[in-house]
Amino acid sequence: MCSSDLADRTRTLAGVLASRGVGSGDRVGVMLGNHPEFALVWFALMRLGAAMVPLNVRYRSADAAHVLTDAGARLAIAWPEHREVLAGVVEVVTPSELETADAPPLAPDHPRPDASTTVNLQYTSGTTGRPKGCVLSHRYWTTLAGSLVEEFPRITGDDVLLTAQPFHYIDPQWNLVTALLAGGRLVALDGFHPSTFWDAVREHEVTYFYCLASMPRLLLAMPPSDDDRQHRVRAVQCSAIPPALHADLEERWGVPWYEAFGMTETGADIRVGAEEHDEIGRAHV
């Protein structure tokens, strides 16, 4: 989907949401998984000055009710199979119901939210108690994504990004905004599948991806292939690269892996750049 198509579709969707009473300051649950509709709804809500409350598609009733009630949401956009989970907490609307609704697109002169407007109430588990909502603004996203364009890894319009994480989580979201700012392309998989991950990387001619947690170990556990170095990836960013496996990861796929850490509340806080990579890599050997 090109940026002009995204603009047209989100303007149309924003008009439908406005006809349902969604406006500035509202909080709307989104339970759509790794589908294009997630991005379309998110940007449509941004146009209205409303905030998305991302919902894990694996939530059951108690978890969903806590997040939606704590956020003050009165509406959720979800697939039909999630109606039962959300029933009794908020009104539920499906993407197909929005798509077939009769409403004019959002007017071009509709007031634009400013940079401090909240666009996400992003719930994160933390270390104690129930999930807590991080309040993320337009400025948060443009700062985070902009740093990946203006600084290392300097994403450009020639890059193809790939994400395999769930879209209710923050990483696919910053991948999406980064790709838009750079004029690049984002490939979103339906999940992380170690046995076919590099096949997808090659198929889509991916040049950059981010991973974390057990993903590096799971990838290394796959049988070696003659195609392991047949790809266009120029940089991998990863949180908590296993120190003892760092050299193995780079040797197998022939591409540098760079440490990167952040928090939902604050964005990308610590990132290893190309200039530090060799020194840190030597320390791991």
Side-chain angles (χ1 to χ4, degrees):
M1 186 187 304
C2 67
S3 58
S4 60
D5 186 33
L6 179 65
D8 290 342
R9 294 181 67 178
T10 55
R11 189 177 294 113
T12 298
L13 185 53
V16 173
L17 291 169
S19 74
R20 286 182 166 268
V22 178
S24 180
D26 286 335
R27 284 86 183 271
V28 177
V30 177
M31 200 172 194
L32 295 174
N34 284 26
H35 295 274
E37 288 81 358
F38 185 103
L40 293 170
V41 168
W42 187 28
F43 286 113
L45 291 171
M46 287 186 197
R47 287 185 177 276
L48 295 170
M52 173 180 70
V53 184
L55 299 169
N56 187 338
V57 295
R58 295 183 178 179
Y59 273 168
R60 305 315 300 158
S61 298
D63 294 319
H66 164 70
V67 169
L68 291 168
T69 302
D70 188 70
R74 64 169 186 80
L75 177 72
I77 302 168
W79 299 113
E81 59 264 32
H82 301 310
R83 279 190 187 274
E84 184 177 348
V85 171
L86 305 176
V89 182
V90 291
E91 177 189 359
V92 180
V93 181
T94 67
S96 61
E97 289 170 339
L98 295 176
E99 187 177 345
T100 57
D102 184 16
L106 195 68
D109 60 352
H110 186 275
R112 293 189 175 188
D114 64 32
S116 64
T117 301
T118 300
V119 296
N120 284 59
L121 283 182
Q122 188 78 33
Y123 278 75
T124 182
S125 59
T127 54
T128 60
R130 289 188 164 188
K132 305 165 185 66
C134 301
V135 182
L136 310 181
S137 67
H138 284 273
R139 183 178 292 112
Y140 171 95
W141 289 109
T142 55
T143 299
L144 171 52
S147 71
L148 295 164
V149 174
E150 297 165 6
E151 304 167 19
F152 185 83
R154 299 192 183 279
I155 302 297
T156 74
D158 294 327
D159 278 306
V160 179
L161 292 70
L162 179 141
T163 184
Q165 288 122 283
F167 251 92
H168 69 267
Y169 189 55
I170 198 167
D171 294 331
Q173 297 173 38
W174 63 252
N175 274 258
L176 173 59
V177 180
T178 301
L180 283 171
L181 284 181
R185 185 161 63 94
L186 174 65
V187 176
L189 304 182
D190 63 355
F192 176 62
H193 310 292
S195 63
T196 58
F197 181 85
W198 281 97
D199 291 335
V201 166
R202 284 184 281 271
E203 176 187 353
H204 297 287
E205 299 188 331
V206 170
T207 61
Y208 166 90
F209 67 84
Y210 168 81
C211 63
L212 76 170
S214 62
M215 295 169 76
R217 291 183 183 275
L218 291 171
L219 289 172
L220 271 177
M222 295 299 102
S225 166
D226 291 340
D227 293 331
D228 277 344
R229 290 194 170 208
Q230 301 302 311
H231 58 76
R232 295 185 60 230
V233 178
R234 65 177 180 84
V236 178
Q237 286 187 304
C238 179
S239 296
I241 300 171
L245 300 179
H246 199 155
D248 293 340
L249 289 162
E250 297 192 343
E251 173 62 25
R252 178 161 173 181
W253 286 288
V255 61
W257 285 57
Y258 300 90
E259 290 273 11
F261 291 95
M263 297 174 63
T264 302
E265 299 90 324
T266 55
D269 300 312
I270 302 173
R271 300 201 302 267
V272 170
E275 61 278 8
E276 298 100 359
H277 171 267
D278 289 346
E279 180 178 350
I280 292 175
R282 285 194 298 270
H284 287 168
V285 175

